[in-house]
mmCIF file of all heavy atoms in Angstrom:
data_model
loop_
_atom_site.group_PDB
_atom_site.id
_atom_site.type_symbol
_atom_site.label_atom_id
_atom_site.label_comp_id
_atom_site.label_asym_id
_atom_site.label_seq_id
_atom_site.Cartn_x
_atom_site.Cartn_y
_atom_site.Cartn_z
ATOM 1 N N LYS A 115 6.540 34.164 9.015
ATOM 2 C CA LYS A 115 6.320 32.752 9.439
ATOM 3 C C LYS A 115 7.595 31.971 9.185
ATOM 4 O O LYS A 115 7.758 30.857 9.701
ATOM 5 C CB LYS A 115 5.224 32.153 8.550
ATOM 6 C CG LYS A 115 3.831 32.362 9.009
ATOM 7 C CD LYS A 115 2.865 31.450 8.269
ATOM 8 C CE LYS A 115 2.317 32.122 7.017
ATOM 9 N NZ LYS A 115 1.195 31.386 6.393
ATOM 10 N N PHE A 116 8.459 32.464 8.330
ATOM 11 C CA PHE A 116 9.607 31.743 7.826
ATOM 12 C C PHE A 116 10.910 32.269 8.458
ATOM 13 O O PHE A 116 11.708 32.897 7.758
ATOM 14 C CB PHE A 116 9.646 31.785 6.322
ATOM 15 C CG PHE A 116 8.400 31.299 5.662
ATOM 16 C CD1 PHE A 116 7.389 32.157 5.293
ATOM 17 C CD2 PHE A 116 8.193 29.948 5.463
ATOM 18 C CE1 PHE A 116 6.225 31.715 4.704
ATOM 19 C CE2 PHE A 116 7.032 29.467 4.919
ATOM 20 C CZ PHE A 116 6.042 30.389 4.495
ATOM 21 N N ASN A 137 2.342 33.788 13.008
ATOM 22 C CA ASN A 137 1.691 32.563 12.422
ATOM 23 C C ASN A 137 0.724 32.872 11.286
ATOM 24 O O ASN A 137 0.235 31.922 10.663
ATOM 25 C CB ASN A 137 1.035 31.775 13.505
ATOM 26 C CG ASN A 137 2.012 31.327 14.562
ATOM 27 O OD1 ASN A 137 2.955 30.562 14.240
ATOM 28 N ND2 ASN A 137 1.914 31.760 15.759
ATOM 29 N N GLY A 138 0.504 34.114 11.022
ATOM 30 C CA GLY A 138 -0.457 34.429 9.890
ATOM 31 C C GLY A 138 -0.719 35.927 9.876
ATOM 32 O O GLY A 138 -0.197 36.655 10.764
ATOM 33 N N SER A 139 -1.491 36.371 8.886
ATOM 34 C CA SER A 139 -1.763 37.780 8.736
ATOM 35 C C SER A 139 -0.517 38.666 8.941
ATOM 36 O O SER A 139 -0.562 39.704 9.613
ATOM 37 C CB SER A 139 -2.849 38.263 9.716
ATOM 38 O OG SER A 139 -4.013 37.531 9.465
ATOM 39 N N ILE A 140 0.584 38.231 8.301
ATOM 40 C CA ILE A 140 1.884 38.847 8.490
ATOM 41 C C ILE A 140 1.851 40.366 8.063
ATOM 42 O O ILE A 140 2.580 41.188 8.641
ATOM 43 C CB ILE A 140 2.944 38.152 7.627
ATOM 44 C CG1 ILE A 140 2.853 36.608 7.704
ATOM 45 C CG2 ILE A 140 4.322 38.562 7.998
ATOM 46 C CD1 ILE A 140 3.067 35.999 9.086
ATOM 47 N N GLU A 141 0.988 40.609 7.083
ATOM 48 C CA GLU A 141 0.939 42.003 6.538
ATOM 49 C C GLU A 141 0.570 43.050 7.582
ATOM 50 O O GLU A 141 0.872 44.269 7.376
ATOM 51 C CB GLU A 141 -0.083 42.069 5.365
ATOM 52 C CG GLU A 141 0.327 41.252 4.111
ATOM 53 C CD GLU A 141 0.043 39.797 4.212
ATOM 54 O OE1 GLU A 141 -0.552 39.320 5.263
ATOM 55 O OE2 GLU A 141 0.432 39.058 3.303
ATOM 56 N N ASP A 154 7.588 37.120 3.333
ATOM 57 C CA ASP A 154 6.352 36.306 3.205
ATOM 58 C C ASP A 154 6.146 35.830 1.736
ATOM 59 O O ASP A 154 6.883 36.313 0.855
ATOM 60 C CB ASP A 154 5.130 37.132 3.657
ATOM 61 C CG ASP A 154 3.936 36.267 4.007
ATOM 62 O OD1 ASP A 154 4.102 35.021 4.141
ATOM 63 O OD2 ASP A 154 2.821 36.791 4.096
ATOM 64 N N ILE A 155 5.172 35.015 1.583
ATOM 65 C CA ILE A 155 4.794 34.499 0.249
ATOM 66 C C ILE A 155 3.948 35.516 -0.513
ATOM 67 O O ILE A 155 3.012 36.052 0.120
ATOM 68 C CB ILE A 155 4.094 33.170 0.396
ATOM 69 C CG1 ILE A 155 5.123 32.076 0.701
ATOM 70 C CG2 ILE A 155 3.269 32.837 -0.819
ATOM 71 C CD1 ILE A 155 4.510 30.819 1.083
ATOM 72 N N VAL A 156 4.288 35.779 -1.728
ATOM 73 C CA VAL A 156 3.506 36.653 -2.565
ATOM 74 C C VAL A 156 3.089 35.816 -3.759
ATOM 75 O O VAL A 156 3.912 35.306 -4.470
ATOM 76 C CB VAL A 156 4.269 37.888 -3.036
ATOM 77 C CG1 VAL A 156 3.414 38.773 -3.937
ATOM 78 C CG2 VAL A 156 4.847 38.650 -1.871
ATOM 79 N N GLU A 157 1.743 35.739 -3.952
ATOM 80 C CA GLU A 157 1.252 34.980 -5.092
ATOM 81 C C GLU A 157 0.764 35.951 -6.136
ATOM 82 O O GLU A 157 1.437 36.301 -7.122
ATOM 83 C CB GLU A 157 0.196 33.974 -4.641
ATOM 84 C CG GLU A 157 -0.098 32.950 -5.775
ATOM 85 C CD GLU A 157 -1.177 32.006 -5.309
ATOM 86 O OE1 GLU A 157 -1.597 31.981 -4.146
ATOM 87 O OE2 GLU A 157 -1.624 31.214 -6.223
ATOM 88 N N THR A 158 -0.437 36.515 -5.961
ATOM 89 C CA THR A 158 -0.983 37.473 -6.869
ATOM 90 C C THR A 158 -0.510 38.912 -6.546
ATOM 91 O O THR A 158 -0.613 39.798 -7.371
ATOM 92 C CB THR A 158 -2.500 37.460 -6.863
ATOM 93 O OG1 THR A 158 -2.948 37.719 -5.511
ATOM 94 C CG2 THR A 158 -3.046 36.094 -7.223
ATOM 95 N N GLY A 159 -0.135 39.135 -5.277
ATOM 96 C CA GLY A 159 0.248 40.449 -4.876
ATOM 97 C C GLY A 159 -0.917 41.237 -4.333
ATOM 98 O O GLY A 159 -0.783 42.374 -3.837
ATOM 99 N N THR A 160 -2.144 40.620 -4.335
ATOM 100 C CA THR A 160 -3.338 41.332 -3.912
ATOM 101 C C THR A 160 -3.287 41.735 -2.447
ATOM 102 O O THR A 160 -3.652 42.843 -2.063
ATOM 103 C CB THR A 160 -4.565 40.442 -4.212
ATOM 104 O OG1 THR A 160 -4.516 39.981 -5.516
ATOM 105 C CG2 THR A 160 -5.850 41.205 -3.955
ATOM 106 N N THR A 161 -2.859 40.800 -1.600
ATOM 107 C CA THR A 161 -2.873 41.103 -0.157
ATOM 108 C C THR A 161 -1.947 42.286 0.169
ATOM 109 O O THR A 161 -2.296 43.172 0.948
ATOM 110 C CB THR A 161 -2.386 39.828 0.649
ATOM 111 O OG1 THR A 161 -3.078 38.690 0.195
ATOM 112 C CG2 THR A 161 -2.601 40.041 2.148
ATOM 113 N N LEU A 162 -0.781 42.344 -0.519
ATOM 114 C CA LEU A 162 0.147 43.503 -0.294
ATOM 115 C C LEU A 162 -0.541 44.777 -0.766
ATOM 116 O O LEU A 162 -0.611 45.759 -0.015
ATOM 117 C CB LEU A 162 1.466 43.278 -1.020
ATOM 118 C CG LEU A 162 2.386 42.169 -0.552
ATOM 119 C CD1 LEU A 162 3.655 42.148 -1.381
ATOM 120 C CD2 LEU A 162 2.719 42.402 0.944
HETATM 121 C C1 PRP B 1 -0.481 33.896 2.092
HETATM 122 C C2 PRP B 1 0.662 34.894 2.369
HETATM 123 C C3 PRP B 1 0.039 36.161 1.959
HETATM 124 C C4 PRP B 1 -0.951 35.742 0.849
HETATM 125 C C5 PRP B 1 -0.314 36.109 -0.478
HETATM 126 O O1 PRP B 1 -1.294 33.909 3.194
HETATM 127 O O2 PRP B 1 1.073 34.815 3.724
HETATM 128 O O3 PRP B 1 -0.721 36.734 3.046
HETATM 129 O O4 PRP B 1 -1.092 34.375 0.925
HETATM 130 O O5 PRP B 1 -1.180 35.884 -1.531
HETATM 131 P P1 PRP B 1 -1.474 36.999 -2.645
HETATM 132 O O6 PRP B 1 -0.197 37.591 -3.113
HETATM 133 O O7 PRP B 1 -2.205 36.211 -3.727
HETATM 134 O O8 PRP B 1 -2.420 38.028 -2.022
HETATM 135 P P2 PRP B 1 -2.290 32.717 3.571
HETATM 136 O O9 PRP B 1 -3.494 32.846 2.672
HETATM 137 O O10 PRP B 1 -1.581 31.424 3.527
HETATM 138 O O11 PRP B 1 -2.712 33.164 4.999
HETATM 139 P P3 PRP B 1 -1.917 33.555 6.335
HETATM 140 O O12 PRP B 1 -0.428 33.494 6.083
HETATM 141 O O13 PRP B 1 -2.369 34.923 6.662
HETATM 142 O O14 PRP B 1 -2.376 32.540 7.302
#
Side-chain angles (χ1 to χ4, degrees):
K115 272 194 267 193
F116 303 96
N137 297 300
S139 300
I140 316 296
E141 292 81 3
D154 199 15
I155 282 168
V156 180
E157 193 182 350
T158 60
T160 309
T161 312
L162 291 181

